[in-house]
Each structure stands twice: as C-alpha cells, then as structure tokens.
Amino acid sequence: MTKVLVVFGSRHGGTQGIAERIGEVLRAEGVDAVVASADHARDVGSADAFVIGSGVYIGSWLNEPLDFVRNHADMLASRPVWLFSSGPLPGATGATNVADPMELALGPAQGPGSGGRKKLDELTAATHPRGHRVFHGAFDPKDPPRAMSERLVRLMPVAKRALPAGDFRNWDDIEAWAREIAASLASPVSVP
Ligand SMILES: Cc1cc2nc3c(=O)[nH]c(=O)nc-3n(C[C@H](O)[C@H](O)[C@H](O)COP(=O)(O)O)c2cc1C
C-alpha cells in the first residue's frame, strides 16, 4: 500500500485541520496516510509520497515546514510531492483586486513583499511538486497570538479589516483535492 506523509506547519490549528482532513480522505481512498507536524515528523524516509502544507503569516510559510522541505529536499525531489498553503481570509482589505490565489496568500512574485514567495520558489525548484493549492484559512481573534510578529500585526489599527474573523476553510475543495492526489497515486504513471 502506498504510504503518504502529510506534513503541516500550523500556529492556530487551521492548517492542522486541513492536513488531518486530507489524511482522512486519503485513508478512505485506500492510501496509508500518516499526518504529522513538520517539527515532529518521524520515519520520513519510509514514505512513498508527501503532502506538505503551511499556514501563511505575513506573506510567508512558517519556518518548520520550510525547514522540513529544505532538510529533506534530495529525497523529496525523487518522490511525488504536493504542496498547499492555507491563508487567505475572504473579505480582507487589499485582497479584492488580487485574482491569483498564490499572490493573495504569499504576495507578489517579484519586488517589494516577494520574500515569502521567493522562499517557496526555491523549494518548488528543489522538489518539483505535482501541484500547489491555496486554501482559505481560519482566524479566531480570541485565540492569543503565538509569535511577536503576530502580536504586532494584530495591534495595528487596520488589523480588524485585514484579518476577518471566521472559519473559511472550504472542506469540499480540500476533500476533492485529496481525492485527486489519491487518484494520481493509483495511476500507473505516478513517478514524476
Ligand atoms: C498576524 C497574521 C498574519 C497573517 N498573514 C497572512 C498572509 O500574509 N497571507 C494569508 O493568506 N493569510 C494570512 N493570515 C491568515 C492565516 O494564514 C490563517 O489564519 C490561517 O488559517 C492560519 O493557519 P493556522 O491556524 O494553521 O496557523 C494571517 C493571519 C494572522 C493572524
């Protein structure tokens, strides 16, 4: 049975929930899926394929999943990999004119504010993922900030409009993507 490691970086649980749902769908489709946070993933080399995702903060993936990909880049380059980013909160100010989901989550590909995107470009070049999906995220202002940068952003006067509260994760989209991954793994031409 194909073994898939679903690895996530999550500060407030939103991305963890997406990773867990992907794992459930993969298992329902007959895949041996294990879900682990990026800093606690074990037995990494025994996986045949990987789904790796991160919550996006200030235009960047979290360090743990970035480090996971960097530390295992050679192995990941030789196995099927899918990436996902969890972030955009619909209705956030400044988001209405941006149609490209990648730009919406991680900022522009070039110029000011492109640092988070460039880090992902580096990982993409190293691992050749079969796909990279952006999923809407969740934000609960009652959940205390977990990093100084987050604390500062939340204190900004525009924070209320920049960070709409709610759970915007689209489970139908997430489940459909997980089924696509399972189907791709089951197809005879599954080696990239
Ligand atoms: C301080 C802060 C900054 C954020 N910055 C971004 C961002 O740059 N791009 C984005 O798409 N989402 C951003 N978000 C939304 C988060 O990515 C979203 O809440 C996500 O679901 C968080 O995942 P987690 O619960 O797994 O940590 C931000 C949220 C907070 C609280």
Side-chain angles (χ1 to χ4, degrees):
M1 193 188 278
T2 306
K3 180 175 172 186
V4 175
L5 189 56
V6 183
V7 178
F8 64 86
S10 179
R11 259 190 207 156
H12 292 279
T15 313
Q16 177 170 356
I18 293 173
E20 284 168 354
R21 185 67 63 91
I22 290 170
E24 283 166 23
V25 172
L26 289 176
R27 283 191 289 275
E29 297 290 320
V31 174
D32 175 15
V34 174
V35 181
S37 68
D39 48 350
H40 286 100
R42 297 280 173 269
D43 205 13
V44 174
S46 71
D48 303 301
F50 294 83
V51 181
I52 306 166
S54 178
V56 181
Y57 285 85
I58 319 176
S60 178
W61 269 31
L62 294 169
N63 286 332
E64 295 82 3
L66 284 172
D67 287 344
F68 178 89
V69 179
R70 288 186 183 121
N71 292 339
H72 300 289
D74 287 346
M75 189 201 30
L76 294 171
S78 66
R79 298 179 199 189
V81 173
W82 286 264
L83 305 178
F84 70 93
S85 299
S86 159
L89 305 168
T93 38
T96 40
N97 295 328
V98 182
D100 173 21
M102 206 69 78
E103 181 165 345
L104 195 57
L106 291 148
Q110 301 291 335
S114 61
R117 194 76 179 268
K118 293 225 164 81
K119 283 183 216 162
L120 267 186
D121 287 347
E122 168 210 326
L123 304 185
T124 300
T127 61
H128 310 293
R130 291 182 172 206
H132 182 164
R133 285 289 298 269
V134 174
F135 295 117
H136 285 140
F139 175 59
D140 177 0
K142 291 200 278 303
D143 197 7
R146 306 266 161 90
M148 183 55 78
S149 56
E150 197 184 331
R151 189 182 301 275
L152 293 174
V153 170
R154 289 207 205 178
L155 286 171
M156 287 163 65
V158 295
K160 227 184 177 110
R161 282 178 297 130
L163 296 169
D167 186 347
F168 305 100
R169 292 171 295 177
N170 184 325
W171 298 112
D172 288 346
D173 271 6
I174 292 161
E175 289 174 6
W177 190 61
R179 281 193 294 273
E180 278 174 33
I181 291 172
S184 171
L185 288 168
S187 83
V189 280
S190 62
V191 178

